[in-house]
Amino acid sequence: MTHSFVVHVSEAELEPEPLSPEQIVSGTPEVTGKVVWESADGRRVRGVWQITPGVVTDTEADEMFVVLSGSATIEVAGGPTLTVGPGDLVVLGEGDRTTWTVHETLRKAYAIDLG
């Protein structure tokens, strides 16, 4: 895939990315996503991701994302609680242990760098 392209993120068709049952704290959140670009070595990934309401836990990669729609509260263990919504640019550190409370289906465009 080329380095130069455009994706209409709000209408991108996403594929199911099932959560591990251990990640679900409450509700029935569903995750979908699409990788739109990946480096040849697989260490840099760009894509679109969406999650429906519920509460889930995760261990983060080095990630920057922009929220396109929806809202959530992201609690970082030993760190801040982030309230995010449309237009917010968010940075999460590799290894951050997080709890996501998704209030309204959240869609984001992301850039992940794997160590």
Side-chain angles (χ1 to χ4, degrees), residues 87-103:
D88 289 335
L89 184 143
V90 182
V91 175
L92 297 173
E94 183 174 358
D96 280 352
R97 297 184 57 75
T98 56
T99 301
W100 291 63
T101 301
V102 180
H103 310 291

Side-chain angles (χ1 to χ4, degrees), residues 75-80 97:
E75 297 175 54
V76 179
R97 297 184 57 75

Side-chain angles (χ1 to χ4, degrees), residues 1-5 34-48 61-64 94 110-115:
M1 183 176 281
T2 179
H3 287 280
S4 301
F5 59 92
K34 178 180 181 121
V35 171
V36 297
W37 180 84
E38 184 173 348
S39 63
D41 63 6
R43 296 179 68 184
R44 294 179 295 148
V45 181
R46 311 299 183 242
V48 181
D62 179 14
E63 178 179 8
M64 179 181 78
E94 183 174 358
Y110 67 83
I112 293 176
D113 292 316
L114 303 169

Side-chain angles (χ1 to χ4, degrees), residues 9-10 48-49 65-70 85-88 106-109:
V9 179
S10 64
V48 181
W49 185 86
F65 64 87
V66 174
V67 177
L68 302 160
S69 60
D88 289 335
L106 184 138
R107 184 175 281 221
K108 66 181 185 179

